[in-house]
Amino acid sequence: MATIEEALELERLERDIFRGAFPKTQLPRTFGGQVAGQALVSAVRTVEPRFQVHSLHGYFLRPGNPEAPTVYMVDRIRDGRSFSTRRVTGVQDGDAIFTMSASFHIGDEGPSHQDEMADVAPPDDLPDAETSMDPERLWAMREWEHWDIRPVPQEQVTQRPGVVSPQQVWFRYRHPLPDDPLFHVCTLAYMSDMTLLGSSKVTHPDEPTQNASLDHAMWFLRPFRTDDWLLYDQSSPSAGFGRALTGGKIFDRSGRLVAAVVQEGLIRTLRK
């Protein structure tokens, strides 16, 4: 299937209008991470190189057609000395399917602290999902064959008081990627939609549901590489009324907290 370079490819149509690639896929609708990643790439291309992405907030408005391109229209909301802001709308067939605000910062000096990474099994001690996944789920590994995704077995997941639905996943891109830090940020935006909503199913493993991402927010905290191991430490603090709130902290292998994610998703019970 498509490489990350192919999945994030854009064609510039006008100064602030871009058209995204639509690589071959098995999915019935466009993968949300692809839409978010392409939207972020389009925003990056309208900002001076001295600015780095520090956050994004997006809404998935309609399912995307995976057999058609998405056009991204960028609004230059603000260009300041320290911060720049962009608003991006992804459009298919005249309808908005995704909207996102992205903020950029040149970086300043200030106090520093972070949460500690959980004590989890290292990725080298876990089987590659490509060889260990349930055969009924192997289509997912074919769809994302360029990613090495290693879930921590549920019996080994770090249990914390009051956290009812934890999930931990190691992941990395299997092949060397360019050194450009912004490319790694856009790659992580793509990847961050994968597995996160699944944390809401940890306490309801046998209940059939319809699932879809509704909104997605990310904060990029420290430099990282997506072709090195990252730990996605996830949980779902609440589910109800057909929706689930999920969140994740992303650490590099050395224990540095590099990003944080919050997402609300549809988790609607399927009626027989």
Side-chain angles (χ1 to χ4, degrees), residues 172-191:
R172 67 175 175 180
Y173 197 69
R174 293 185 184 274
H175 317 295
L177 292 173
D179 291 333
D180 180 6
L182 285 174
F183 185 83
H184 289 268
V185 165
C186 294
T187 299
L188 188 60
Y190 173 98
M191 179 60 191

Side-chain angles (χ1 to χ4, degrees), residues 21 40 57 68 91 133 139 188 192 228 248 265 268 271:
L40 187 57
H57 296 71
V91 177
M133 183 172 280
W139 67 268
L188 188 60
S192 64
D228 287 339
R268 178 189 295 150
R271 304 295 182 186

Side-chain angles (χ1 to χ4, degrees), residues 155-229:
E155 64 273 14
Q156 297 181 35
V157 168
T158 305
Q159 301 295 324
R160 287 159 289 196
V163 177
V164 298
S165 198
Q167 178 171 267
Q168 293 167 331
V169 181
W170 285 102
F171 68 92
R172 67 175 175 180
Y173 197 69
R174 293 185 184 274
H175 317 295
L177 292 173
D179 291 333
D180 180 6
L182 285 174
F183 185 83
H184 289 268
V185 165
C186 294
T187 299
L188 188 60
Y190 173 98
M191 179 60 191
S192 64
D193 188 45
M194 201 182 301
T195 75
L196 181 56
L197 191 54
S199 65
S200 66
K201 293 279 289 180
V202 167
T203 55
H204 316 280
D206 300 320
E207 185 169 349
T209 57
Q210 176 190 1
N211 305 323
S213 305
L214 296 175
D215 60 18
H216 195 81
M218 291 189 73
W219 294 264
F220 302 95
L221 307 174
R222 292 171 178 85
F224 59 89
R225 294 188 64 94
T226 45
D227 50 6
D228 287 339
W229 284 113

Side-chain angles (χ1 to χ4, degrees), residues 14 20 47 57 79 102 105 149 169-170 184 186 217 249 253 271:
E14 291 285 351
V47 175
H57 296 71
D79 282 311
H105 186 213
I149 303 169
V169 181
W170 285 102
H184 289 268
C186 294
K249 298 176 183 178
R253 192 166 184 176
R271 304 295 182 186

